[in-house]
Amino acid sequence: MGSLSPLSFLWGLLLLQGVLRPLRGDPVFIPPFIRMSSPEVRASLVGGSEDVTVSLTPLQIKEGVLPVPTCGGLRNETGDWNLTVSPQANMLEVTVRWKRGLDWCSPDETASFSEAPCIVQTLLVSASHNASCLAHLLIQVEIYPNTSVTHNASENMTVIPNQVYQPLGPCPCDLTAKACDIRCCCDQDCQPELRELFERFCFSGVFGGYVSPPSHHRCAARTTHQTPDWFPFLCVQSPPSTSPFLGHFYHGAISPRHSPGFETHSHLDLRDFFADASYKQGDPIMTTNGYFTIPQASLAGQCLQDAPVAFLRNFHSVCTTDLEVQERDRLIPEDMRIRTTGGLVTPTVTYEEATDLDKLITSPDTILSAGSAPRNVTVEEHYVFRWQNNSISSLDITIIRAEINAHQRGTMTQRFTVKFLSPNSGGEKEFSGNPGYQLGKPVRALHTDGMNVTTLHLWQPAGRGLCTSAALRPVLFGEDASSGCLLEVGIKENCTQLRENVLQRLDLLIQATHVARRGNSDYGDLSDGWLEVIRVDAPDAGADLPLSSANGMCPEVPTHVTIRILTAEAGAVEGEAQREILAVETRFSTVTWQYQCGLTCEEDKADLLPLSASVKFINIPAQMPRPTRFQINFTEYDCTRNELCWPQLLYPLTQYYQGEPRPQCVAKGLMLLSLLMLAILLRHPWVGMCKAWSSASIQH
Amino acid sequence: MAPRDKRLSSTPLEILFFLNGWYYATYFLLELLIFLYKGLLLPYPTANLVLDVVMLLLYLGIEVIRLFFGTKGNLCQRKMPLGISVALTFPSAMMASYYLLLQTYVLRLEAIMNSILLFFCGSELLLEMLTLATFSSMDRI
């Protein structure tokens, strides 16, 4: 027993040493790799003792291969780098700094060099103890020229006038850049010919650009009332630029003092108080219960159930609703009253029954009959507003309903249209914009056989997605779209029949020979901006192709049509970009299709051939080419780039010197000139001239 | 001094000084009344009104000194008073120009009156220069 206890003690001692050994680790740099983009960088050496030596070595990278890190590099080779080691608690802080500072890294005048880094190096920081390496820190240096530091002054001098006398926004009604704002006479973008059109209807007052209060004391004031006899002599004839209320916005606290005096004639503005229900374009239409709402598509694409209807904004929305969700508690159309000027408008409601529910309902189950538990759903709602001036005169509502089973599951497609008609729009065809196309409006087209009004179409399948039951919807300007349907193909059809059938389906979408260039092209005049539709690769229906193949395969079946529409911005009207169509191209794509049977080819079975159509709008930008970097401006006489400015030496005759306001320059020059003249006159130069003249006459 | 039998004073200049004196008195009184009118009826800031009235008083001082020295210099045939009058014509013209162009509210009546004052200044300046030339030439001989 006595011999065992020293052995166990020895084992415990060995075990304790083994446990304590991993706690004393090697020193390590945190972080171990640094990407340096500023002139100074710091790292921490953790786990080292006091006698650790830190050194810095620039590495020479050869073909992207890092050399084996060696320890104990010579300190003399640090070059332009400065290494600082400062002891902290339980660690050493290592700082690497670039010695030359920022001035060494100044960009050149040419812009092409400022993109390249001016310092690209790799540094190795090593920690060693008694000539043995302990840790390494790799620093990748990439320092770019700092242009914001060296460019102290901007070369584009923006002269901001004194706000007291010239507000920064001297024309408050100038709301559109590079476009003439109508009735804004202080807008500098308005041409004189255009300004003459609305010169008598300019915005008056402060928001029309007249920052000074209007005064009827001016001689130029066009007074409508009778003026007193002394008015021609006591009227103010100084220009408005000397008004004491310049900078009315700037001071704010200054207000004109309209104290009543004898024989003061002030304008009495009779304000007309219009009715509350006067509508402007875009105003929401009001009913007796609040807003008049119809489901409309939002910008995100989903349908908003309670979107207000805007005055004079026609729309056509298609919404998909879940049949399991109960319809919203909508107002009964007969009880609705539209609020307008001069009273209320009672709408005229017409109901119709919808047929062919296969086109409307998409259901995983079969469509149940509505016999046992009927339920009415709204399929389509069409609203026609008739308006005059700023009021609504009548509203016609057409509701198309359908009876379905109350337990029917699936989704249903609903359509809502709102149209605004005026008494002047009797039988005219609708515009898609005036003159440019508006986004979301149908692309206007016509067929020269009979000059039929038509448009390009896409499918809108419902139910089982068959082509026979698919409806057509127009191609809308600016909206890329893609749609398709399924064509039933019988087993007895040969390839020629199939191709003819498919082409007939696809031609239904593009029954047009011409497309309108603008939104308001005249249908009766082909020379009024109508473009011929370019048809590419319309394949012949089996002229060179075999009737059928042994395996039931049909090559060259045109199953896809692509409509490409080139658009461009052709100018702007009142700041609105006007888009027009430059060209339209339709192109067919063919596939090799094979009839797919099941285990056995049955006679009455039919396979499905997918057809598709897509529309793509390609915008051609109208931009001026940007000037290249090789265009050098002549800057010898540019006063902002040279130290010597020749025109400034002619001060105060020229206006190049801007150190003082120009009136002060002229005043000082004139004072100097007057002093010079005074000095000349006080010396009596004519006395000398008389003496010289008299002496000359004496000599003669 | 000038010889006793020679009279070098300028009669047109003396006539202009006389008329200018009476005209300026009328101008000063009328301007005070006009400032009263403008202060009551027009939206006149108080600072601008005080500035204009104070400058009118300064103008009165300049004009009185100018006319006095001009008359004395012309009648006594002395160059120094006439030179002072010539020097004071420029600030006087500046004051008239201020009231013609740079005033806060320039009435049409004020424009007419200040134009007449500027005409007086121009004419007197021309005649004073001629009179100074006459005095200098006679002094030498």
Side-chain angles (χ1 to χ4, degrees):
Chain A
M1 296 300 292
S3 63
L4 286 179
S5 61
L7 187 59
S8 63
F9 175 77
L10 185 60
W11 272 108
L13 185 59
L14 288 177
L15 187 62
L16 185 61
Q17 285 186 352
V19 167
L20 285 178
R21 186 174 183 84
L23 293 182
R24 287 188 289 102
D26 293 332
V28 70
F29 278 105
I30 297 177
F33 176 77
I34 295 177
R35 184 185 181 92
M36 188 177 185
S37 60
S38 60
E40 183 176 311
V41 80
R42 297 167 185 266
S44 303
L45 183 63
V46 184
S49 56
E50 289 79 13
D51 52 352
V52 172
T53 305
V54 183
S55 61
L56 175 72
T57 304
L59 295 179
Q60 304 300 327
I61 308 299
K62 300 173 182 177
E63 297 183 358
V65 179
L66 277 179
V68 178
T70 59
C71 206
L74 296 181
R75 285 184 174 271
N76 300 329
E77 297 180 1
T78 57
D80 297 318
W81 298 97
N82 185 15
L83 180 68
T84 305
V85 181
S86 57
Q88 301 288 333
N90 296 330
M91 68 176 185
L92 296 175
E93 183 169 317
V94 181
T95 303
V96 180
R97 186 183 295 106
W98 173 255
K99 286 182 179 177
R100 298 192 185 182
L102 281 176
D103 297 336
W104 184 84
C105 189
S106 60
D108 294 335
E109 290 300 326
T110 54
S112 60
F113 283 96
S114 64
E115 301 167 359
C118 57
I119 304 176
V120 178
Q121 267 192 5
T122 305
L123 307 177
L124 180 67
V125 182
S126 307
S128 61
H129 173 63
N130 293 333
S132 65
C133 300
L134 298 178
H136 297 285
L137 167 64
L138 197 64
I139 301 177
Q140 178 68 45
V141 183
E142 284 186 19
I143 298 181
Y144 287 84
N146 198 348
T147 56
S148 63
V149 171
T150 56
H151 282 185
N152 296 320
S154 172
E155 295 186 354
N156 298 323
M157 297 194 307
T158 302
V159 181
I160 298 181
N162 192 347
Q163 296 302 293
V164 179
Y165 303 108
Q166 185 178 348
L168 256 188
C171 190
C173 55
D174 186 3
L175 303 176
T176 315
K178 302 175 185 177
C180 178
D181 295 87
I182 306 300
R183 297 181 59 192
C184 183
C185 288
C186 57
D187 193 351
Q188 302 298 321
D189 303 319
C190 297
Q191 303 296 329
E193 301 86 15
L194 186 53
R195 190 179 282 112
E196 287 176 6
L197 297 179
F198 54 82
E199 203 157 23
R200 295 180 290 114
F201 307 98
C202 297
F203 290 122
S204 59
V206 175
F207 297 102
Y210 306 99
V211 294
S212 305
S215 174
H216 53 274
H217 297 279
R218 299 197 174 277
C219 299
R222 193 176 302 175
T223 56
T224 56
H225 62 278
Q226 184 181 2
T227 56
D229 293 335
W230 40 262
F231 185 76
F233 290 103
L234 294 183
C235 59
V236 179
Q237 75 160 29
S238 54
S241 58
T242 60
S243 171
F245 297 103
L246 283 179
H248 191 90
F249 290 125
Y250 189 81
H251 281 299
I254 295 181
S255 61
R257 177 167 55 90
H258 298 301
S259 59
F262 58 95
E263 293 190 0
T264 300
H265 300 269
S266 61
H267 295 280
L268 181 60
D269 292 329
L270 298 174
R271 295 181 175 274
D272 297 328
F273 295 98
F274 296 97
D276 290 333
S278 174
Y279 291 110
K280 298 193 299 293
Q281 183 177 3
D283 287 353
I285 294 179
M286 307 295 295
T287 62
T288 50
N289 298 318
Y291 289 122
F292 179 65
T293 60
I294 285 177
Q296 298 175 49
S298 69
L299 289 181
Q302 70 178 17
C303 276
L304 304 175
Q305 294 295 317
D306 293 325
V309 176
F311 188 64
L312 298 185
R313 296 278 175 83
N314 302 337
F315 68 87
H316 177 162
S317 61
V318 178
C319 300
T320 303
T321 57
D322 195 348
L323 284 176
E324 296 181 358
V325 179
Q326 294 294 325
E327 275 203 353
R328 66 185 192 280
D329 297 329
R330 294 196 61 193
L331 289 173
I332 303 175
E334 286 86 357
D335 298 339
M336 201 161 41
R337 297 290 181 270
I338 302 295
R339 191 187 297 270
T340 184
T341 307
L344 303 175
V345 168
T346 304
T348 306
V349 186
T350 306
Y351 288 96
E352 296 177 7
E353 295 297 325
T355 57
D356 199 354
L357 287 178
D358 288 352
K359 292 189 175 182
L360 305 168
I361 297 178
T362 304
S363 177
D365 310 327
T366 59
I367 297 180
L368 309 176
S369 67
S372 56
R375 171 190 162 196
N376 274 321
V377 291
T378 299
V379 175
E380 294 181 12
E381 291 184 7
H382 303 287
Y383 297 81
V384 176
F385 287 88
R386 297 189 183 271
W387 62 279
Q388 197 163 9
N389 294 331
N390 289 333
S391 62
I392 296 169
S393 54
S394 69
L395 168 59
D396 298 325
I397 304 177
T398 302
I399 298 178
I400 302 177
R401 301 180 297 183
E403 265 196 358
I404 61 171
N405 197 293
H407 308 292
Q408 178 73 53
R409 299 194 297 118
T411 58
M412 184 181 68
T413 303
Q414 293 176 312
R415 295 178 60 211
F416 302 91
T417 61
V418 169
K419 192 176 295 183
F420 287 87
L421 299 178
S422 70
N424 303 323
S425 62
E428 296 178 6
K429 305 176 182 62
E430 286 189 26
F431 285 165
S432 294
N434 190 16
Y437 272 96
Q438 293 182 14
L439 297 178
K441 289 297 185 117
V443 173
R444 302 164 78 236
L446 62 80
H447 204 286
T448 47
D449 295 342
M451 306 296 279
N452 297 321
V453 175
T454 180
T455 185
L456 305 174
H457 288 103
L458 290 176
W459 286 300
Q460 186 154 14
R464 298 173 54 203
L466 298 180
C467 293
T468 51
S469 60
L472 300 179
R473 66 179 176 90
V475 170
L476 305 179
F477 185 84
E479 297 185 4
D480 296 349
S482 186
S483 69
C485 63
L486 299 172
L487 181 66
E488 288 179 323
V489 184
I491 196 172
K492 295 184 177 180
E493 297 184 26
N494 56 9
C495 291
T496 304
Q497 265 182 323
L498 177 63
R499 293 191 196 95
E500 286 174 358
N501 196 6
V502 167
L503 275 181
Q504 187 181 356
R505 295 284 170 182
L506 294 179
D507 277 341
L508 279 179
L509 305 180
I510 47 179
Q511 292 187 84
T513 57
H514 290 76
V515 167
R517 172 190 288 263
R518 305 187 310 274
N520 63 346
S521 298
D522 189 7
Y523 277 106
D525 188 4
L526 269 189
S527 60
D528 187 21
W530 288 94
L531 308 168
E532 190 170 359
V533 177
I534 302 170
R535 294 171 177 266
V536 179
D537 293 341
D540 293 333
D544 300 329
L545 296 170
L547 288 184
S548 65
S549 181
N551 303 328
M553 298 178 63
C554 293
E556 298 291 328
V557 181
T559 57
H560 182 73
V561 61
T562 301
I563 306 173
R564 292 200 188 118
I565 302 178
L566 300 184
T567 61
E569 289 188 3
V573 173
E574 297 187 18
E576 292 282 338
Q578 303 296 314
R579 300 174 181 85
E580 60 177 41
I581 292 176
L582 304 181
V584 177
E585 179 202 75
T586 60
R587 185 184 293 261
F588 293 91
S589 306
T590 58
V591 299
T592 299
W593 183 73
Q594 183 179 13
Y595 193 93
Q596 299 290 335
C597 301
L599 292 179
T600 57
C601 293
E602 303 174 6
E603 290 291 327
D604 55 345
K605 274 286 188 173
D607 202 1
L608 298 174
L609 170 65
L611 305 180
S612 60
S614 67
V615 178
K616 186 170 182 56
F617 287 86
I618 301 170
N619 186 50
I620 301 176
Q623 295 172 3
M624 296 298 294
R626 288 175 295 177
T628 62
R629 64 181 65 181
F630 300 104
Q631 297 178 3
I632 301 175
N633 297 320
F634 192 60
T635 59
E636 183 174 343
Y637 292 97
D638 194 342
C639 294
T640 59
R641 295 166 185 256
N642 295 306
E643 294 182 358
L644 179 63
C645 180
W646 292 103
Q648 282 186 3
L649 292 181
L650 293 175
Y651 154 90
L653 297 181
T654 57
Q655 304 189 21
Y656 279 87
Y657 181 67
Q658 299 177 1
E660 291 173 331
R662 177 154 176 80
Q664 292 186 21
C665 296
V666 176
K668 292 177 181 177
L670 290 180
M671 286 177 65
L672 200 65
L673 188 64
S674 62
L675 290 180
L676 188 65
M677 294 287 292
L678 193 62
I680 291 176
L681 290 180
L682 289 183
R683 284 179 55 89
H684 311 296
W686 50 85
V687 178
M689 294 166 61
C690 289
K691 287 183 177 180
W693 184 73
S694 61
S695 62
S697 62
I698 287 173
Q699 288 179 0
H700 289 295
Chain B
M1 293 296 296
R4 193 176 298 270
D5 57 336
K6 272 285 188 176
R7 185 171 56 87
L8 302 177
S9 299
S10 174
T11 306
L13 183 59
E14 187 59 27
I15 291 173
L16 276 181
F17 280 145
F18 179 78
L19 292 179
N20 196 2
W22 282 105
Y23 182 78
Y24 188 79
T26 307
Y27 170 85
F28 181 77
L29 292 178
L30 203 53
E31 277 291 326
L32 285 182
L33 294 178
I34 286 175
F35 277 126
L36 193 66
Y37 166 83
K38 292 193 287 189
L40 290 178
L41 292 186
L42 300 182
Y44 219 126
T46 307
N48 295 47
L49 186 59
V50 170
L51 174 69
D52 288 345
V53 172
V54 167
M55 286 180 73
L56 186 65
L57 295 177
L58 285 178
Y59 191 18
L60 174 67
I62 292 173
E63 198 72 9
V64 165
I65 294 174
R66 183 178 74 89
L67 294 177
F68 172 77
F69 273 100
T71 304
K72 278 298 177 183
N74 186 35
L75 294 181
C76 296
Q77 296 177 150
R78 299 176 63 92
K79 290 184 294 185
M80 181 54 71
L82 207 56
I84 292 175
S85 181
V86 167
L88 284 179
T89 306
F90 294 104
S92 180
M94 281 173 56
M95 285 296 189
S97 300
Y98 171 79
Y99 282 104
L100 176 63
L101 300 172
L102 302 178
Q103 211 185 160
T104 305
Y105 295 113
V106 180
L107 306 186
R108 188 171 286 168
L109 183 60
E110 283 179 304
I112 296 171
M113 293 174 63
N114 284 287
S115 301
I116 294 174
L117 270 180
L118 280 175
F119 167 75
F120 269 120
C121 283
S123 304
E124 287 165 4
L125 185 65
L126 184 64
L127 290 180
E128 279 173 331
M129 301 300 284
L130 289 178
T131 308
L132 272 176
T134 306
F135 288 173
S136 300
S137 63
M138 283 305 144
D139 254 4
R140 295 301 169 187
I141 297 175

